[in-house]
Each structure stands twice: as C-alpha cells, then as structure tokens.
Amino acid sequence: MKYDVNEQGFYGEFGGAFIPEMLYPNIQELKSSYREILSEDAFKEELESLLKDYVGRPTPLYYASRLSTHYGADIYLKREDLCHTGAHKINNTLGQVLLAQRLNKTRIIAETGAGQHGVATATACALMGLECIVYMGAKDIERQAPNVSRMKMLGAEVCAVHSGSKTLKDATNEAIRDWINNPDDTHYIIGSAVGPDPYPDLVTQLQAIISKEIKEQMEGLPTHVIACVGGGSNAIGAFYNFLEDESVNLIGVEAGGMGVQTDKSAATLALGTKGVLHASMSYLMQTSDGQVVEPHSISAGLDYPGIGPLHAYLHDCSRVTYKNVTDEEALEAANRLMKLEGIIPALETAHALAYLEKMNFTTTDKIVINLSGRGDKDMNTYINANI
Ligand SMILES: *Cc1c(COP(=O)(O)O)cnc(C)c1O
C-alpha cells in the first residue's frame, strides 16, 4: 500500500527507530517477525475469535438520526465505545499479547498516562495468564486512582515512577529501561501508533479493523471520516482502509486545549516542529532549543506532545486534514451527544464530535465519526463542568 512503512521503517522522512544501542536486539526481533506472525492463519483466527466473543466486534456503525437532523447531513457513529473496557485500545493490546506469546515472551510491560492503555494491557494479560507490569508516573497515579485500582484488580503490578515530572514521559523512560534489562522474556506494549519502528505500523495494522468494518457496514463510501488524535491510533484505525479512496475526506482532530494561541494546548500539528520523540521522527511540541513543551488538554488521552509518524506524513502530503478544537468546544460537543443520542462519550472522542460545528454540510454528505471510547472515566470532569 502506498502509505505503508518502507523497509527502513520510515513514512517519507518520518518514523525510524532512534533507539539506544542496547535496545537494538529487542527491536530487531520484533521487526523481523511481526508482519509474518500477523499474517499467519492460526494467529488471525485466534485474534478474530477473541475480538468477536471477548471484545464484542464488529462494533456497530450506528446511524445517529437526531444528530443527523440537527446538522442536516447523514452522520454515523462507529461504536468503539462498546468494546470491552470501553475504548478501541483493547484491539491493540489483545493483538500484541498474542504476538508476545508467539515470540515466547511471558512478561508484559507497558507505560500509561491516564491509565486507559494500562487497563487494556492488564485486561489482555489477565485473559492470557501473563505477568503484567505497568509503569506510571507518581503524579498520574494520584490523578487517575480508579484506573490504578482497576489494573491492580486485574492482577497487574503498577510501578510508580518518581523521576522527572512524574508523568507519562518518565514512565516511558522507565519501561524502556526495564525492556533493555529483560530482553529475553519481556514484550513491551506501546499503546498508540507512536514509538520506534515497527510499533507505528504494528499498532496501525491492529487498529485497521475499525475502517475494515466501516467499509463492510456502509453502502458505498462515506464522504468524511473524522477521529480525534492523541498519538493517533484510533484515527489511523478509522482512516487506514480509506487512505487510497481519495474521494473520502479524512479529518483528524487534535486537542486545542485553551486555544493554539495560548501556551496551554496539545495540538501538535498546529504548533509542533520536526524532531525526535520516543525514538521516532515526527512533529512535536518543543522549544527552539529542543526541550519538549508540556502539553495541555482537558482530556488525559490527548495530552501528548507528539503524534505518530504516519500522521506526520499524511499531514505533509495533505492526504489527511488536521484540525483542532478547544476544551470548551469538546465539553459542549459531549453535552450535545448526551442530549441528542443518549450516549456519554469519552472526552477524547468529544473533540471529533466538536468538529461537526465547524463544517459546512451538503445534504449528500455521509459522515462517519469514530466514537473511540465511552465517558465513564470522565464523569468528574463532566460533573465539574455542570453539564
Ligand atoms: C487513549 C484514547 C485516545 C487517544 O489515543 P489515540 O492513540 O490517539 O487513539 C482517544 N480516545 C480514547 C477513548 C482513548 O482512550
């Protein structure tokens, strides 16, 4: 496929594996085997069966009639919020746990910020009887107490990281350190379409089921597919099988935070410049001397200073349009979906919904919004916002 990663692990100038030398054997083992394992019949059968009976796939493509009337266009919601554990992340963690088993790994490590990827990893490990260690910044452990409890209930060990800003990037450093020290028995599950090659492609392939199902569920092609973008895994999942259908407008919505003109934003493609973050060349929010800028978003899942390298490439070749909406606009959009459709979306997802306010519709438009997750985890934010 035209937009797939090349042999060297790049999408145009983006991607690659800018890793410490000690990580090279781990990355090389993964890179040399993942495509083959993913395409084995036995692997595909096992994953498909779990996705069906355990996750609840295919997720519905729901025609949102009151939302459609409100905007005067046909709007469909791809219901990833109905996946087991409440979001798309389980598509990736289940696939990677099966891959780890094929590579004879008995120990799984992951990093998590808001805790959603940690919970999805702990879930897949419990299902497969694998040891699970989740690195999490001490500050995030305090902020995300319910997800910490969930991970522990599922049998995972949550490792508090006290270095640096005690948040996601410090947890990532600690997970990488662990992987270097345990190369033989351990697989590292990255939670979005980011990190060194081959992770962006691995995560893309595992999330591409979203757009595969949309294509099967829809008569003809949509005119637009819209998804929120943090690292970019739900968005690339929703876009992937439409990339070569040039008539389909693909729109990624980043978190504008308090607005891109303020210093409280997470809109990487609006504010970022080229550089290396988490071992991959992409756009990132950084100062002129290359220090990562602390991002801000009301939604923990979009609060990331980088973006996956495939998105950077799709942005530069103009195949996907990237926009951003503010915290306030996301809250309003969440409220609108609750009242019009009886669905409480995740705050991340609300960013994709908020973009509908900025579109000019024609009555022949058929718009798919990827409803990446449900809003249970965001109850406190919604309550405090008086929705
Ligand atoms: C984690 C998360 C996101 C953001 O991550 P991506 O990799 O950009 O998809 C979006 N929506 C939900 C519900 C999430 O949990």
Side-chain angles (χ1 to χ4, degrees):
M1 215 256 272
K2 181 172 148 193
Y3 297 99
D4 272 345
V5 74
N6 69 18
E7 272 297 304
Q8 290 72 41
F10 281 86
Y11 306 92
E13 65 187 293
F14 301 107
F18 298 83
I19 48 171
E21 204 175 312
M22 287 170 79
L23 214 52
Y24 188 77
N26 310 37
I27 290 290
Q28 206 47 38
E29 181 187 24
L30 196 58
K31 188 174 159 75
S32 63
S33 58
Y34 81 104
R35 275 274 183 169
E36 198 181 317
I37 293 173
L38 257 56
S39 62
E40 277 170 12
D41 285 341
F43 180 91
K44 284 198 282 195
E45 268 164 39
E46 191 177 359
L47 182 57
E48 262 166 40
S49 157
L50 283 173
L51 288 175
K52 175 170 170 280
D53 297 328
Y54 187 72
V55 175
R57 303 206 74 90
T59 58
L61 182 69
Y62 163 68
Y63 177 69
S65 64
R66 294 192 69 210
L67 199 64
S68 296
T69 306
H70 179 83
Y71 285 111
D74 285 343
I75 299 173
Y76 298 81
L77 304 176
K78 180 59 174 163
R79 298 291 307 275
E80 293 301 295
D81 61 316
L82 297 179
C83 287
H84 177 46
T85 68
H88 66 290
K89 287 195 170 74
I90 190 86
N91 302 328
N92 172 46
T93 55
L94 261 189
Q96 286 207 45
V97 159
L98 293 187
L99 174 65
Q101 284 186 322
R102 299 295 194 282
L103 295 171
N104 297 318
K105 310 290 181 187
T106 53
R107 186 173 171 271
I108 299 291
I109 57 172
E111 86 291 325
T112 196
Q116 296 300 106
H117 173 55
V119 169
T121 304
T123 301
C125 288
L127 180 68
M128 294 294 157
L130 292 174
E131 187 183 350
C132 178
I133 294 105
V134 180
Y135 289 96
M136 192 167 182
K139 199 162 149 191
D140 289 334
I141 288 183
E142 251 170 61
R143 289 191 288 198
Q144 314 288 342
N147 274 343
V148 175
S149 302
R150 274 186 199 106
M151 286 183 262
K152 289 183 178 166
M153 282 176 203
L154 292 162
E157 183 189 331
V158 180
C159 250
V161 178
H162 294 278
S163 56
S165 55
K166 302 181 176 43
T167 60
L168 180 61
K169 76 170 166 45
D170 314 289
T172 305
N173 292 339
E174 216 45 54
I176 289 174
R177 209 161 292 155
D178 179 314
W179 206 25
I180 290 173
N181 291 327
N182 300 284
D184 295 328
D185 65 347
T186 299
H187 175 67
Y188 177 22
I189 301 189
I190 294 184
S192 189
V194 301
D197 175 62
Y199 281 101
D201 184 56
L202 171 58
V203 176
T204 296
Q205 298 306 321
L206 293 172
Q207 293 292 0
I209 183 133
I210 300 172
S211 48
K212 180 170 175 274
E213 287 176 4
I214 296 172
K215 266 198 158 164
E216 288 162 2
Q217 289 166 324
M218 207 160 186
E219 252 175 68
L221 290 171
T223 55
H224 301 75
V225 180
I226 307 176
C228 66
V229 181
S233 70
N234 90 87
I236 204 61
F239 296 163
Y240 185 78
N241 288 285
F242 295 108
L243 285 174
E244 291 187 329
D245 299 310
E246 302 280 337
S247 72
V248 182
N249 297 291
L250 304 173
I251 302 165
V253 186
E254 296 190 303
M258 318 269 253
V260 291
Q261 72 288 353
T262 70
D263 60 1
K264 296 226 172 311
S265 178
T268 306
L269 286 174
L271 298 171
T273 49
K274 288 171 194 172
V276 173
L277 180 67
H278 295 146
S280 164
M281 175 63 76
S282 188
Y283 283 95
L284 67 131
M285 292 165 50
Q286 57 187 332
T287 60
S288 55
D289 53 356
Q291 294 301 305
V292 174
V293 172
E294 201 60 40
H296 164 85
S297 167
I298 193 169
S299 94
L302 302 184
D303 201 352
Y304 182 66
I307 186 166
L310 178 49
H311 286 289
Y313 179 64
L314 293 168
H315 169 264
D316 276 17
C317 65
S318 301
R319 176 62 192 99
V320 178
T321 310
Y322 295 86
K323 305 282 186 181
N324 57 77
V325 302
T326 63
D327 292 347
E328 204 54 47
E329 290 167 331
L331 283 171
E332 283 164 14
N335 190 22
R336 207 173 299 118
L337 193 75
M338 294 171 195
K339 303 302 188 295
L340 287 177
E341 294 290 347
I343 297 171
I344 300 177
L347 259 169
E348 291 83 2
T349 315
H351 288 70
L353 294 159
Y355 186 67
L356 289 169
E357 287 290 303
K358 312 207 167 190
M359 292 174 71
N360 295 311
F361 299 100
T362 63
T363 48
T364 51
D365 281 345
K366 278 164 74 172
I367 296 153
V368 176
I369 308 257
N370 195 33
L371 214 76
S372 58
R374 63 175 185 233
D376 310 33
K377 66 185 181 58
D378 300 311
M379 268 310 145
N380 277 339
T381 311
Y382 290 145
I383 291 166
N384 291 335
N386 273 323
I387 280 180

